Amino acid sequence: MSARSWNLAALAVAGALFALPFVFLLAVSLAPEGRGLAEPLAALRDPHFENYRLALERMGGFGRLFANTLFVTVVSIVGQCLTCSLAGFALARISFRGRDVLFACVLATMMLPEQVTAIPRFLLFRELGLVDGFGPLVLPTILGGAPFFVFLFRQYFLSLPPELDEAARLDGAGPWRIYWSIALPLAKPMLATVAIFTFLGAWNDFWTPLVYLYSDENRTLTLALAGFQRSFNVAVEHMLAASAVVLAPCVLVYFVAQKVFLRGVRVAASKH
Amino acid sequence: MSAWLLGAALALLAEPEAPYAGRELVVMVDEKSFESWSVLEQIARDFEAAHPGLVVRVIDQGGAVGQQDKSRFMLTGDLPLDVTRIDVTEFGAFHAQGALIDIDAHLRALPGFDEANYLDVLDGFRAADGHLFGLPSTFTPYVMYFNRDLLARAGLEPPQPNWTWDDLLAVARATTRDTDGDGRIDQWGISLTQWLQAVVPWIWQAGGDVLDPTLSRSTIGEPAALEALRFLRRLLHEERVASFDATFENQYSQGLFQAGRCAFYGPVGYWETYRFKYLTEFEWDVAPLPRGKHAATAIAMTGYVVPRTSREPALAAAFVAELSGPKYQYTLAEIGNGVPAWKAAATSESFLDPRRAPRSENVFLDVLPEARFLPSLANWRKIEALCQSELQGALLSETYDVAEAARRMQEKTDAFLAGEARRANLPLLPRFALEACFALAVLGALAAWIVRRSREPRRGFASDARGALTLLAPWAVGFLCLFVGPAAVSFALSFCAWSPLESIERVRFAGFENWFRLASDDTFHTSLVATATYAFASVPLGLALALWLAWLLRRESTLAVCVRTIVYLPAILSPVIVAATWRFLLDPDRGFVNHVLGLVGIAGPAWTRSEPWIVPSFVLMSLWSVGAQMLVFLAALQALDPTLEEAARVDGAGPWARFRHVVLPQLSPVLLFNLVLGLVGGFQIFAQAYVLTGGGPGDASRFLVLYLYETGFRHLDMGYASTLAWVLFAILGCFCWVLVKTSKNWVHYAARSRG
């Protein structure tokens, strides 16, 4: 066998292995109640799409859940993209005293587990009267809560040639002008990448909504999904159907945005 | 007369009076089914109708994944909460830490309230002074499940209600066999559960106990308790008629009992009845636990209490009574996730439905006279955790000395109880001390930065520098308020003793006690080793796999693009879903992985149920999520300068040499990037272990973040949890610092880059 066919075989096997758990999840979610685990392939002969209808029904007010989750996600994306690109731009393209210390601070925030700051943060948000609202969910992202993205933007802006803003600076443009009219338009692939990462993070977040949201009208999809996972008398099949519903937008967004996404990572990775 | 008429007419015309206008009741429930949820809503509406003007808000606790986090945070933040549901083993902690309101008088003032309406389980929420602090929802005594068909095939009768340890041994001997003659036992007499709550009944039956009556000293090393442990060991190792069952960690897995491969399964509670709902392959039933010197069993129970942040204790007490009253308890009986505490409901057909297995459901009621609660301690959960690994060792390991293990359990428990007693006498931190820490840290960070900045040589244009600072302003606000401030508070807490059940104003100063504890904390050492093993195994393997995949996928063929997408997919899943999926795949008995290994003639390991295989299981799972790293490598590979590789090819370098000497050096910055991120992520592994194993078996997967989370939120020790967090922070900081410092020797930056 030639090296090329070995490669093809390896690819096919890798693809199958990585797809397996997904196939499993889909198969069980379509299996008749109570049979999924014993014979996951039962779904092939007789798919039970009503599992999905039941799952949606039981989540209660799917429209509201979806709208809440979408709101939190969109605000997070916009906030995260702006704040992190601003910070990344300043750290990469402007030389000023104290810059390296600030960059070290960005990296340090990655190393403290979030469980530790949870209680002091909660008390702070309570003082601000933001509990049981979306504030505690979106404020950390608006204020650039994810150091990883600041880091990505910094790397990206570092990779752009220095001549770009030197010309603008000679024309008398200030940092904000350069950021807004030169750097940001060039950063589209990176913005897309950060947007997708933020989307996935915000969409899948469970713990923050759990701790901060109380009212029924504020619930998000993951909270509703957790309702399935804890229930003793919900069949595994229905639980996995609900998981698949919550998961679907993530897969969709990823498929649609795959190309841009890869380009963003490529530029960030190419130069350090 | 006319004035009176006028008044009466006016009263009729006026709005109906709403004596409860503007008042609100916040009720936190954790309902296990959708059916009970709708009944609960109805009860709330009826309660509102009976109290005009009152608003009842029913909040969901969030279920098994979040457990009690939500109510903990509400208590910590002094947010109004009028009714919440707790486990009876937590009652001691809630009561001792002043987290509950005494509702005894309110309950007794309710019309028709009578203790005689309940089964004899109210003591679970009764304080030492006899006052009731809450009422039960559902409960279950620990019993034994058994396979009727299997016993019948062996020509044996189902156990009598007063059967004994010797009877159990005899039946187990008669049913343990090697059915397919391969020299390995595949049908067991009994599948034993071995968490502390399930072992305590055996100890009681032998006449022993886990704590002395004053609850200040452990007695698990005394002869009676040892006798019970020795009996269990005899079943497991000398007679070899018992296997142990770890399915309690695996809600969906199929244990020995469900596979029809053991006669008895226990001690377990009523929750198994729900789990066995789909079990129709054989007839199963329940029996009381066999008796030793005495008959005894333990009770598990949940109930509703009124936390200290309630503004309406009287109304809250009335609502608690509704929740454990007839309206709701019949529904619970129907749904069957526990034994209803309301006597009439528990003895009705709703509960004792003859058409529904098990046939002898009344056993759950019959054993009540001999059932006891576990000791009502300030911190039962912590004691359970302290004893767990020794207990598993004492029972499961062939070569363990029981007396030695029991002595160690006793020592650990005694040391812990003494520490708890000491902590109660520590001085309270002055008011606003934590707020001061927060403010000082924020101001200090600002000041430090300004000083540091003034020492650096000026660079760039002044106007640019001002601009840069305004660009950084939003991030800086977040950094100071959401990171520096909270981190400072948590650092301060690492020198304090504080339970999140108490108000934040009740923080006590403990000096360096938490830091000294690190040295003698075995769980911490185990957890550190497990975390490091996991990180140092999963990071290099993950990097290698990611690099290999990226290398295979670097060309733009259709197959490559498809596989690329598939490989990245797992990385977009929430860890909770990933863990749930792997739970099914890695199941030792019916899981897919072992099935495939079996096809090629390899007997698969017990994966998540065996101590040596648990960390490898998590490493395996982590490999499945290398998609993000693969993408970063792929991007870097595609951005490589092809002329270099071409030049090497012309010089006659083989594929491996080209990869090693041309490609790899060019990838080194990306390698560093992935290495740092991988280590940070690896050391912080949490969600997967939390969902999949909860730290077990033993402490084998109690990774650092999981341990600190449990310490803070389950064992209510925020001070020590903060200490653990800072240890982790220091470790990660050191690793990253060393990596970045040494990277100059092996990371090659292209000449044109800057940074």
Side-chain angles (χ1 to χ4, degrees):
Chain A
M1 239 158 107
S2 73
R4 190 174 151 69
S5 33
W6 273 112
N7 268 357
L8 280 179
L11 278 183
V13 170
L17 277 181
F18 275 83
L20 178 75
F22 272 93
V23 176
F24 178 81
L25 191 148
L26 279 182
V28 176
S29 77
L30 285 170
E33 185 178 342
R35 306 297 314 152
L37 290 182
E39 35 173 344
L41 296 180
L44 285 184
R45 290 194 305 275
D46 174 23
H48 279 54
F49 290 104
E50 70 264 26
N51 286 353
Y52 281 77
R53 191 180 48 78
L54 241 129
L56 284 181
E57 237 172 62
R58 288 190 153 175
M59 272 194 197
F62 184 76
R64 183 84 209 203
L65 294 171
F66 189 83
N68 286 343
T69 315
L70 196 67
F71 174 78
V72 171
T73 309
V74 169
V75 175
S76 298
I77 289 176
V78 175
Q80 192 96 270
C81 280
L82 280 179
T83 310
C84 294
S85 64
L86 277 171
F89 174 77
L91 290 173
R93 308 290 299 189
I94 306 176
S95 73
F96 59 96
R97 293 189 299 172
R99 184 177 74 169
D100 300 338
V101 184
L102 285 189
F103 186 57
C105 287
V106 170
L107 295 184
T109 50
M110 285 203 282
M111 288 165 211
L112 200 65
E114 58 180 335
Q115 285 82 356
V116 198
T117 48
I119 284 212
R121 260 191 200 198
F122 182 83
L123 296 173
L124 178 73
F125 281 124
R126 184 202 57 173
E127 286 304 310
L128 298 174
L130 293 175
V131 170
D132 198 17
F134 297 130
L137 276 66
V138 296
L139 268 182
T141 57
I142 292 176
L143 297 176
F148 177 52
F149 300 139
V150 178
F151 180 77
L152 279 185
F153 272 112
R154 174 181 173 271
Q155 300 308 115
Y156 184 85
F157 287 125
L158 274 182
S159 75
L160 299 179
E163 301 79 39
L164 269 180
D165 38 343
E166 267 159 30
R169 192 177 290 130
L170 290 179
D171 288 346
W176 280 88
R177 264 289 293 289
I178 301 174
Y179 163 77
W180 188 253
S181 47
I182 298 176
L184 204 58
L186 282 173
K188 268 184 203 139
M190 202 66 239
L191 286 170
T193 308
V194 169
I196 294 169
F197 274 131
T198 311
F199 176 90
L200 298 175
W203 193 269
N204 288 328
D205 190 12
F206 166 70
W207 206 70
T208 328
L210 173 74
V211 166
Y212 284 104
L213 300 178
Y214 301 132
S215 308
D216 237 12
E217 62 269 21
N218 285 344
R219 284 193 331 149
T220 60
L221 277 173
T222 42
L223 286 185
L225 181 62
F228 274 84
Q229 288 174 338
R230 64 103 200 275
S231 288
F232 263 69
N233 61 354
V234 163
V236 182
E237 294 75 24
H238 297 162
M239 193 197 97
L240 290 184
S243 305
V245 169
V246 175
L247 186 65
C250 297
V251 178
L252 208 68
V253 164
Y254 172 68
F255 266 100
V256 171
Q258 219 209 124
K259 260 216 169 111
V260 206
F261 183 54
L262 197 62
R263 202 185 319 146
V265 180
R266 184 179 312 157
V267 182
S270 58
K271 299 179 187 108
H272 283 254
Chain B
M1 181 69 183
S2 61
W4 182 83
L5 269 177
L6 190 68
L10 276 177
L12 279 175
L13 283 173
E15 294 270 303
E17 213 171 314
Y20 298 94
R23 292 162 75 176
E24 190 187 42
L25 212 53
V26 183
V27 180
M28 171 104 60
V29 295
D30 181 18
E31 280 321 310
K32 302 245 181 271
S33 81
F34 294 96
E35 294 85 343
S36 56
W37 182 264
S38 58
V39 178
L40 209 67
E41 284 281 326
Q42 193 50 49
I43 290 174
R45 299 296 85 81
D46 292 349
F47 198 78
E48 283 174 345
H51 301 84
L54 182 75
V55 175
V56 180
R57 282 175 78 193
V58 183
I59 330 178
D60 184 14
Q61 196 159 42
V65 188
Q67 294 205 14
Q68 274 89 31
D69 290 1
K70 193 160 180 164
S71 52
R72 296 281 152 82
F73 272 81
M74 291 185 86
L75 277 173
T76 306
D78 290 325
L79 291 171
L81 179 62
D82 297 290
V83 175
T84 191
R85 177 174 153 131
I86 62 171
D87 193 279
V88 72
T89 53
E90 297 175 300
F91 172 64
F94 274 72
H95 180 251
Q97 293 168 13
L100 298 180
I101 292 178
D102 181 351
I103 53 168
D104 194 79
H106 296 304
L107 285 176
R108 290 184 201 287
L110 291 172
F113 179 83
D114 186 355
E115 289 197 18
N117 286 332
Y118 299 88
L119 291 172
D120 186 19
V121 289
L122 295 190
D123 288 351
F125 295 111
R126 205 190 296 275
D129 61 2
H131 285 198
L132 279 176
F133 277 70
L135 290 175
S137 170
T138 55
F139 72 93
T140 175
Y142 278 77
V143 297
M144 200 61 93
Y145 280 71
F146 68 95
N147 184 331
R148 268 182 175 268
D149 293 359
L150 200 152
L151 288 187
R153 274 202 306 278
L156 297 163
E157 288 293 313
Q160 297 296 311
N162 55 353
W163 66 319
T164 61
W165 285 9
D166 291 333
D167 296 335
L168 173 69
L169 189 57
V171 184
R173 276 185 192 144
T175 47
T176 300
R177 55 179 71 133
D178 169 15
T179 50
D180 57 8
D182 66 351
R184 290 203 316 199
I185 297 171
D186 43 35
Q187 177 182 302
W188 296 90
I190 172 169
S191 170
L192 271 179
T193 51
Q194 28 73 42
W195 62 99
L196 187 57
Q197 284 199 16
V199 171
V200 169
W202 301 104
I203 297 178
W204 286 343
Q205 288 167 9
D209 208 337
V210 276
L211 294 174
D212 77 340
T214 64
L215 302 183
S216 57
R217 203 170 55 78
S218 168
T219 52
I220 205 161
E222 293 184 2
L226 283 181
E227 191 190 327
L229 295 179
R230 290 212 170 96
F231 173 67
L232 297 179
R233 269 190 73 86
R234 192 173 151 208
L235 292 176
L236 285 160
H237 301 297
E238 286 158 39
E239 304 277 347
R240 300 184 59 79
V241 294
S243 171
F244 82 95
D245 194 297
T247 44
F248 71 98
E249 287 167 352
N250 281 346
Q251 197 182 334
Y252 300 106
S253 88
Q254 312 262 332
L256 281 178
F257 188 76
Q258 276 164 292
R261 284 170 48 207
C262 65
F264 288 90
Y265 167 54
V268 283
Y270 191 83
W271 62 84
E272 299 292 344
T273 298
Y274 183 75
R275 219 156 65 96
F276 297 161
K277 189 162 97 176
Y278 300 109
L279 197 56
T280 48
E281 283 86 359
F282 55 87
E283 197 199 341
W284 48 275
D285 204 349
V286 289
L289 298 183
R291 56 183 70 197
K293 283 201 195 80
H294 313 271
T297 189
I299 304 182
M301 180 163 89
T302 59
Y304 291 100
V305 291
V306 179
R308 63 171 162 73
T309 53
S310 170
R311 299 145 306 170
E312 303 278 1
L315 284 173
F319 200 83
V320 167
E322 285 290 323
L323 288 172
S324 59
K327 261 191 212 163
Y328 194 36
Q329 293 269 311
Y330 280 99
T331 311
L332 292 179
E334 285 295 338
I335 292 162
N337 57 7
V339 187
W342 186 259
K343 199 183 278 171
T347 49
S348 72
E349 283 233 329
S350 304
F351 179 68
L352 301 171
D353 186 345
R355 285 155 303 168
R356 207 167 52 189
R359 201 191 290 182
S360 319
E361 212 151 18
N362 56 305
V363 162
F364 290 101
L365 307 178
D366 297 345
V367 299
L368 270 185
E370 63 213 45
R372 298 158 66 177
F373 287 101
L374 293 155
S376 181
L377 265 192
N379 221 323
W380 171 255
R381 290 266 171 103
K382 177 67 184 171
I383 291 183
E384 222 169 10
L386 280 176
C387 296
Q388 193 59 44
S389 61
E390 291 294 342
L391 195 62
Q392 283 190 343
L395 294 179
L396 306 183
S397 154
E398 301 248 357
T399 55
Y400 228 70
D401 180 356
V402 180
E404 190 58 25
R407 192 186 54 75
R408 275 197 298 270
M409 276 191 265
Q410 193 168 342
E411 259 173 24
K412 280 186 187 174
T413 311
D414 286 348
F416 171 72
L417 289 172
E420 286 290 282
R422 205 167 51 238
R423 289 154 81 84
N425 299 323
L426 294 170
L428 280 178
L429 215 60
R431 268 185 75 97
F432 302 119
L434 292 176
E435 284 90 336
C437 282
F438 189 100
L440 275 179
V442 170
L443 294 175
L446 269 177
W449 186 71
I450 291 170
V451 169
R452 169 79 196 244
R453 195 168 119 83
S454 66
R455 292 215 191 111
E456 271 184 36
R458 208 170 273 282
R459 33 180 202 191
F461 302 102
S463 69
D464 270 11
R466 259 202 306 283
L469 295 184
T470 57
L471 289 166
L472 279 163
W475 169 83
V477 171
F479 176 69
L480 290 174
C481 295
L482 298 178
F483 179 77
V484 174
V489 171
S490 93
F491 189 63
L493 281 177
S494 75
F495 298 95
C496 297
W498 178 61
S499 150
L501 291 183
E502 298 172 304
S503 159
I504 188 75
E505 274 140 38
R506 308 276 308 162
V507 177
R508 291 165 191 280
F509 182 68
F512 281 93
E513 198 185 296
N514 290 326
W515 291 88
F516 292 145
R517 252 168 84 187
L518 289 173
S520 60
D521 180 359
D522 292 341
T523 316
F524 167 65
H525 301 152
T526 323
S527 131
L528 196 59
V529 172
T531 313
T533 317
Y534 169 78
F536 289 126
S538 72
V539 172
L541 284 176
L543 286 184
L545 179 67
L547 188 54
W548 180 68
L549 284 170
W551 181 252
L552 284 181
L553 295 172
R554 82 205 124 115
R555 288 190 224 296
E556 294 287 332
S557 72
T558 320
L559 180 65
V561 172
C562 283
V563 176
R564 223 184 258 167
T565 313
I566 293 171
V567 169
Y568 188 69
L569 272 178
I572 68 178
L573 294 187
S574 90
V576 178
I577 298 182
V578 174
T581 312
W582 278 94
R583 171 157 57 197
F584 303 132
L585 289 176
L586 287 180
D587 187 275
D589 297 319
R590 303 259 186 110
F592 182 82
V593 174
N594 276 4
H595 181 69
V596 170
L597 289 177
L599 290 183
V600 292
I602 302 172
W607 296 112
T608 54
R609 295 201 210 144
S610 84
E611 273 190 47
W613 280 98
I614 185 74
V615 173
S617 300
F618 280 103
V619 173
L620 190 70
M621 270 182 261
S622 77
L623 292 185
W624 193 50
S625 310
V626 295
Q629 289 163 318
M630 186 272 298
L631 271 194
V632 175
F633 277 130
L634 184 67
L637 279 174
Q638 291 185 338
L640 284 190
D641 188 352
T643 53
L644 282 177
E645 210 189 330
E646 200 43 49
R649 192 203 302 272
V650 172
D651 288 346
W656 172 248
R658 288 203 301 276
F659 178 77
R660 170 72 191 80
H661 296 290
V662 180
V663 176
L664 211 52
Q666 290 188 79
L667 283 185
S668 57
V670 183
L671 208 57
L672 176 68
F673 174 82
N674 272 343
L675 195 60
V676 170
L677 281 187
L679 268 183
V680 170
F683 266 90
Q684 294 192 11
I685 175 179
F686 167 68
Q688 299 90 311
Y690 181 52
V691 177
L692 198 66
T693 62
D699 285 329
S701 67
R702 191 152 281 116
F703 299 115
L704 219 44
V705 176
L706 180 61
Y707 182 46
L708 85 84
Y709 171 82
E710 282 180 349
T711 305
F713 292 96
R714 297 274 172 279
H715 309 149
L716 308 171
D717 190 350
M718 259 310 153
Y720 191 50
S722 305
T723 314
L724 290 170
W726 277 87
V727 171
L728 179 59
F729 182 66
I731 293 174
L732 281 177
C734 285
F735 276 128
C736 293
W737 186 77
V738 168
L739 267 180
V740 173
K741 284 289 159 196
T742 57
S743 69
K744 294 203 174 84
N745 300 324
W746 59 272
V747 174
H748 304 265
Y749 289 96
R752 58 184 167 161
S753 71
R754 37 182 270 187

